[in-house]
Amino acid sequence: QKEVEQNSGPLSVPEGAIASLNCTYSDRGSQSFFWYRQYSGKSPELIMFIYSNGDKEDGRFTAQLNKASQYVSLLIRDSQPSDSATYLCAVRVISNFGNEKLTFGTGTRLTIIP
Amino acid sequence: GAGVSQSPSNKVTEKGKDVELRCDPISGHTALYWYRQSLGQGLEFLIYFQGNSAPDKSGLPSDRFSAERTGGSVSTLTIQRTQQEDSAVYLCASSPVRWNEQYFGPGTRLTVT
């Protein structure tokens, strides 16, 4: 089982609708979760991060954590064509050797349809 | 303020040559990371520096890869005797706290011919 998994998509959402992106993780002890947006040919850009103590809302973006089911979601309200990108989920994990690292999913490609 | 910068933005090299990629992190960030992203693939962790501590080299794919960080700031990733499979975008990131939110540079696109 991969440490961080995302549906590769593409996920197509009409403009103005809510886009919902999910990411599952395997390490039950993970406490930090990050969402990045990556436009084609560009580097990842940090959108939001949350800790295990709660969800976060920032403008049109909301990050939610479901610890029991071990997944984290990113909701994008009032989707715009400019939101079309690949969204990467990253989870801070501690390896069997006690080393910390940020493990990235392979990303979900989101397309907003005008 | 200034973000993470990387140079060169593009590098084309012949198989067997050595290349050096440079990363200048955000001022004040103690942690610095190198990743590699092949076309259509996810991010592959290469190496991590935290302050003056010994780096975590666990992600380096072979001994042809090495990196250093001078004065706790600028970092250089060196690939010796490049191979075609080394072709990828090499991304550098920095963070104010280890393994917390990371900010990426624009990347260096390496093409080995």
Side-chain angles (χ1 to χ4, degrees):
Chain A
Q1 181 187 7
K2 292 183 180 178
E3 292 176 297
V4 179
E5 293 199 60
Q6 295 181 257
N7 187 319
S8 63
L11 175 65
S12 296
V13 173
E15 183 176 357
I18 296 175
S20 178
L21 304 161
N22 288 330
C23 166
T24 60
Y25 60 94
S26 60
D27 185 351
R28 190 170 289 278
S30 297
Q31 297 191 5
S32 305
F33 308 88
F34 307 85
W35 282 101
Y36 288 83
R37 177 176 61 200
Q38 186 172 26
Y39 292 115
S40 181
K42 301 294 186 182
S43 61
E45 173 193 8
L46 180 67
I47 301 175
M48 297 185 69
F49 59 94
I50 58 172
Y51 301 113
S52 58
N53 59 351
D55 303 339
K56 182 188 285 187
E57 180 177 322
D58 184 1
R60 296 186 296 111
F61 298 90
T62 299
Q64 298 176 324
L65 175 64
N66 185 317
K67 283 192 283 188
S69 299
Q70 293 181 234
Y71 73 84
V72 57
S73 300
L74 178 69
L75 302 177
I76 307 174
R77 289 181 299 281
D78 188 23
S79 298
Q80 302 296 310
S82 59
D83 295 327
S84 297
T86 296
Y87 288 80
L88 305 175
C89 168
V91 179
R92 185 177 179 180
V93 302
I94 298 178
S95 73
N96 293 335
F97 301 102
N99 296 325
E100 294 178 274
K101 63 177 179 177
L102 210 58
T103 298
F104 286 81
T106 53
T108 297
R109 187 156 58 93
L110 173 67
T111 300
I112 305 302
I113 304 169
Chain B
V4 178
S5 61
Q6 291 185 247
S7 61
S9 55
N10 280 285
K11 177 71 177 179
V12 180
T13 190
E14 292 180 352
K15 177 182 173 182
K17 300 285 189 182
D18 297 353
V19 295
E20 284 190 352
L21 312 180
R22 176 189 167 102
C23 171
D24 201 340
I26 293 172
S27 177
H29 282 195
T30 59
L32 185 148
Y33 319 80
W34 283 97
Y35 294 88
R36 177 168 72 175
Q37 188 173 37
S38 300
L39 189 62
Q41 302 298 310
L43 291 171
E44 176 187 4
F45 165 74
L46 298 177
I47 189 168
Y48 153 60
F49 294 90
Q50 172 62 46
N52 295 320
S53 302
D56 175 356
K57 305 178 184 179
S58 60
L60 294 179
S62 78
D63 59 7
R64 296 186 296 104
F65 288 73
S66 64
E68 63 177 18
R69 188 179 185 191
T70 54
S73 181
V74 173
S75 176
T76 302
L77 176 69
T78 301
I79 309 173
Q80 295 178 311
R81 305 181 302 281
T82 52
Q83 304 294 312
Q84 286 188 328
E85 61 262 29
D86 299 334
S87 296
V89 176
Y90 288 80
L91 292 161
C92 174
S94 69
S95 65
V97 177
R98 67 180 190 183
W99 295 116
N100 223 318
E101 70 272 22
Q102 298 180 14
Y103 298 89
F104 285 84
T108 294
R109 181 175 299 277
L110 174 66
T111 303
V112 182
T113 62

